[in-house]
Amino acid sequence: MSKKTIEGLQIVSISLIWVLFTGIAIWVFNLIKVSLELHDAPDASVAISIVAILIFLVLASVLTYVFIGLRKGRNEDKET
Amino acid sequence: MDDLSARPHPDAPLLRPIERPARNFYLIVGILLAIILYTGFVYLRQILFGLGVTGMAQPVTWGFYIINFVFFIGISHAGTLISAILRLSKAEWRRPITRMAEVITAIVLAIGGLHPIIDLGRPDRMSHLFFNGRLQSPLLWDITSITAYFTASTVYLYIPLIPDIAILRDRGVKPRWLYEFLSWGWQGTERQHKVLDRAMNILMVIVIPIAISVHTIISYIFAMTVQPGWHSTIFGPYFVVGAIFSGIAAILVLMIVFRKIFRLEGYLKHVHFNYLSILLLIMSLLWFYFTFSEYLTGYYGHEPNEMRVFWYKFTGDFAPYFWTMIFCNFFLPVLLLCNRKTRTIPGILIASISVIIGMWLERLIIVVPSLANPRLPYPTGIYIPTHTEWMLFIGGISVFVLGYMIFARFFPVISIWEIEEGRKESAKIVTERISSYMPDIKPTSAGE
């Protein structure tokens, strides 16, 4: 497999991580919406959801930071 | 890049299973696949004929599947949680252990997380959770927390794996494209190390509360009901303690097995087993304390429904399981691990296997007796697991063994770069740390 294909796959994988985590966030928002519409413990729902969304966002950000950081770190080393 | 695979590596024993897999690897994989295939057939039969093929019936509507769900998720605490605690506390002896532990979490969580779906007669109805889920339900909290824990654990396993993947890539190990893809261009530069360290520090901190929340929330599935034997305020910490307890036992068993199979005596030394077994001993005492508190308060209240469950466990149908659990989780481990003469590797192995069996029995004792003796005027329920449930249990264990074998076939089960780093820097770091908290020596005269 060529280097370009592998790089392409790596970019696709970062995008997929964000698609997955955005999907989870949208799902949780939908649950909040349902709980508000049905007056179904909205306070607890909102509290739990905010924590859950935040965790997924942090995880996606850490992964993106690592992937971009490692690539930049490699390039920087080449330049010096 | 030249092919380095022929060159000797200082940690060659860790690369051997990947570069030269054993002949019987494929044989074992074949046997496990056959078991898993048969389990798949049994499950398909359950989907076709419904939950009638299981031993579950009114009033015992939860059986092996929920027991195994709690058990597997409990085992998952072996990895990421213990690894994160050891990393945060800068325990230098952690280095050969952390990855083994982290792999357990990732695989076991995937298996455990599937069990509530297996427990459904109509698994297609899972989709209702996505469109019409109610956040009021602890079951939904469970899905959210398990998904978060699984994601965090996988990330936490993968990130420290990157430098080792790069070693395999540079040695030209096949499939090379896989290592190229997963190594993200790792070259071990200073900046790359900084990025990796920073990411691991963030993960270490967020993984601990997630792991604790997972088993606390699992306990809420029981404790949020008013069922006798379940409605308890200490169920959260009781479940977390039990999970860490069974998790440590699982790591010890795996460490002993890997040490024997891959001849890793030089990496997994007696000191590692000694430290972890002392931790197991402490958890055994803590578990007994929680169990004692849980049953004593129930007994003291003497609420009639509570007492039916109590005597059902202590002297009734479940008494053999209850007392075996006490023996396996408390008496045997304490007896073996308290004494230095029996705290040997065979002794630790016996104690760990005993704890795993005991903790499975604990889940059985929590789930079934409360359902068999409900508050409603039902006759006492009977639950006898069928071939289907036994097979899905064996299948789950087979998936775990297969998953672990496949991981060990492609990736080192002990972190090579962390061992290298430890050899180079540990002694200096530990000396600096000790000197930072030891009182300074100042020459003082007798008159001062």
Side-chain angles (χ1 to χ4, degrees):
Chain A
M1 205 178 276
S2 72
K3 281 208 166 179
K4 278 209 163 173
T5 317
I6 287 168
E7 279 183 10
L9 281 173
Q10 286 172 337
I11 292 162
V12 169
S13 68
I14 293 188
S15 318
L16 282 176
I17 286 162
W18 278 99
V19 168
L20 174 75
F21 290 158
T22 314
I24 290 170
I26 291 170
W27 170 59
V28 178
F29 270 122
N30 179 50
L31 293 177
I32 296 173
K33 207 184 97 204
V34 173
S35 79
L36 289 171
E37 279 169 10
L38 300 174
H39 303 289
D40 188 12
D43 42 359
S45 307
V46 172
I48 296 163
S49 311
I50 287 169
V51 175
I53 292 171
L54 201 70
I55 288 168
F56 285 110
L57 277 179
V58 170
L59 289 173
S61 309
V62 168
L63 268 177
T64 313
Y65 167 71
V66 170
F67 294 158
I68 293 170
L70 292 188
R71 294 180 70 84
K72 272 190 179 174
R74 179 190 61 177
N75 293 340
E76 201 173 71
D77 204 51
K78 272 180 188 170
E79 284 161 17
T80 52
Chain B
M1 206 175 287
D2 60 328
D3 190 341
L4 301 172
S5 60
R7 293 189 194 172
H9 191 276
D11 291 304
L14 302 180
L15 294 167
R16 201 184 301 128
I18 304 157
E19 294 180 345
R20 270 172 253 130
R23 277 182 211 159
N24 54 10
F25 171 81
Y26 295 101
L27 179 74
I28 300 168
V29 167
I31 294 167
L32 290 170
L33 279 175
I35 296 171
I36 293 162
L37 219 67
Y38 180 62
T39 309
F41 164 73
V42 168
Y43 178 60
L44 203 70
R45 198 171 145 267
Q46 182 187 296
I47 293 177
L48 288 174
F49 295 101
L51 288 174
V53 298
T54 68
M56 291 185 283
Q58 289 293 349
V60 186
T61 48
W62 279 353
F64 259 36
Y65 300 148
I66 298 299
I67 294 164
N68 294 337
F69 162 63
V70 183
F71 173 71
F72 281 126
I73 301 285
I75 295 276
S76 76
H77 281 58
T80 311
L81 181 63
I82 294 166
S83 159
I85 293 169
L86 291 179
R87 275 187 211 272
L88 263 182
S89 60
K90 292 180 179 145
E92 284 300 324
W93 58 275
R94 72 171 195 276
R95 291 179 189 273
I97 297 170
T98 46
R99 181 159 312 145
M100 278 190 172
E102 289 154 12
V103 182
I104 296 179
T105 302
I107 300 171
V108 161
L109 262 180
I111 300 166
L114 282 177
H115 274 77
I117 303 171
I118 295 171
D119 191 54
L120 295 175
R122 290 276 308 272
D124 54 301
R125 289 187 177 167
M126 269 301 286
S127 60
H128 291 327
L129 270 177
F130 295 101
F131 302 109
N132 309 301
R134 293 179 66 204
L135 274 166
Q136 198 185 29
S137 161
L139 283 169
L140 205 67
W141 306 350
D142 243 350
I143 291 180
T144 318
S145 65
I146 291 174
T147 314
Y149 188 38
F150 178 71
T151 319
S153 304
T154 316
V155 175
Y156 189 69
L157 166 69
Y158 172 57
I159 288 178
L161 194 63
I162 293 172
D164 283 353
I165 295 173
I167 293 175
L168 296 167
R169 175 201 65 196
D170 295 343
R171 289 178 67 81
V173 180
K174 285 176 186 168
R176 198 164 174 170
W177 66 267
L178 180 75
Y179 297 120
E180 189 90 45
F181 168 65
L182 292 174
S183 63
W184 284 86
W186 176 269
Q187 288 166 341
T189 64
E190 201 177 324
R191 180 168 174 163
Q192 287 182 328
H193 272 288
K194 266 186 192 166
V195 169
L196 205 73
D197 285 346
R198 206 170 288 159
M200 276 164 62
N201 286 338
I202 298 168
L203 286 171
M204 264 185 254
V205 176
I206 61 167
V207 137
I208 294 173
I210 297 175
I212 291 171
S213 79
V214 169
H215 231 63
T216 309
I217 289 171
I218 286 176
S219 83
Y220 288 170
I221 297 175
F222 302 96
M224 294 296 181
T225 68
V226 284
Q227 287 273 22
W230 287 358
H231 193 55
S232 160
T233 53
I234 65 160
F235 250 39
Y238 185 33
F239 268 54
V240 173
V241 163
I244 299 172
F245 184 34
S246 60
I248 296 170
I251 301 181
L252 280 165
V253 171
L254 264 177
M255 279 167 63
I256 294 169
V257 170
F258 272 84
R259 185 179 192 257
K260 181 86 184 160
I261 296 174
F262 296 132
R263 285 176 243 135
L264 298 175
E265 289 84 355
Y267 293 88
L268 300 169
K269 297 183 177 179
H270 192 265
V271 66
H272 298 109
F273 292 100
N274 192 36
Y275 286 164
L276 270 181
S277 64
I278 289 170
L279 213 55
L280 190 72
L281 175 64
I282 295 166
M283 294 313 292
S284 175
L285 298 171
L286 205 58
W287 175 86
F288 186 76
Y289 163 68
F290 268 96
T291 307
F292 179 75
S293 300
E294 171 63 18
Y295 287 103
L296 183 72
T297 44
Y299 177 76
Y300 220 76
H302 235 73
E303 199 259 315
N305 287 311
E306 190 82 29
M307 288 316 290
R308 267 178 71 198
V309 177
F310 183 90
W311 291 121
Y312 189 73
K313 292 179 187 178
F314 274 70
T315 55
D317 291 354
F318 266 60
Y321 306 122
F322 181 83
W323 293 110
T324 311
M325 169 192 80
I326 298 287
F327 177 76
C328 287
N329 281 350
F330 182 68
F331 288 110
L332 189 63
V334 169
L335 205 74
L336 287 170
L337 304 177
C338 260
N339 190 342
R340 205 178 268 187
K341 281 183 188 162
T342 48
R343 207 165 58 231
T344 55
I345 289 179
I348 293 169
L349 181 66
I350 294 168
S352 304
I353 293 172
S354 163
V355 169
I356 292 173
I357 295 168
M359 283 311 294
W360 187 85
L361 285 173
E362 193 219 40
R363 313 321 192 184
L364 173 79
I365 283 155
I366 287 173
V367 174
V368 179
S370 288
L371 290 169
N373 298 279
R375 283 186 197 277
L376 290 169
Y378 274 110
T380 303
I382 298 165
Y383 172 67
I384 301 164
T386 61
H387 162 260
T388 305
E389 287 156 293
W390 277 110
M391 211 47 237
L392 278 152
F393 183 28
I394 296 166
I397 295 167
S398 305
V399 172
F400 170 71
V401 178
L402 180 69
Y404 217 104
M405 281 181 68
I406 291 173
F407 181 89
R409 168 69 185 80
F410 289 102
F411 305 104
V413 285
I414 292 178
S415 176
I416 299 172
W417 74 275
E418 283 187 87
I419 295 277
E420 278 173 7
E421 188 190 64
R423 281 192 197 117
K424 280 180 201 159
E425 296 168 17
S426 277
K428 194 181 152 212
I429 293 168
V430 172
T431 314
E432 277 172 11
R433 201 189 308 152
I434 292 171
S435 61
S436 73
Y437 59 67
M438 286 301 280
D440 298 328
I441 305 166
K442 284 180 188 165
T444 51
S445 65
E448 266 184 275

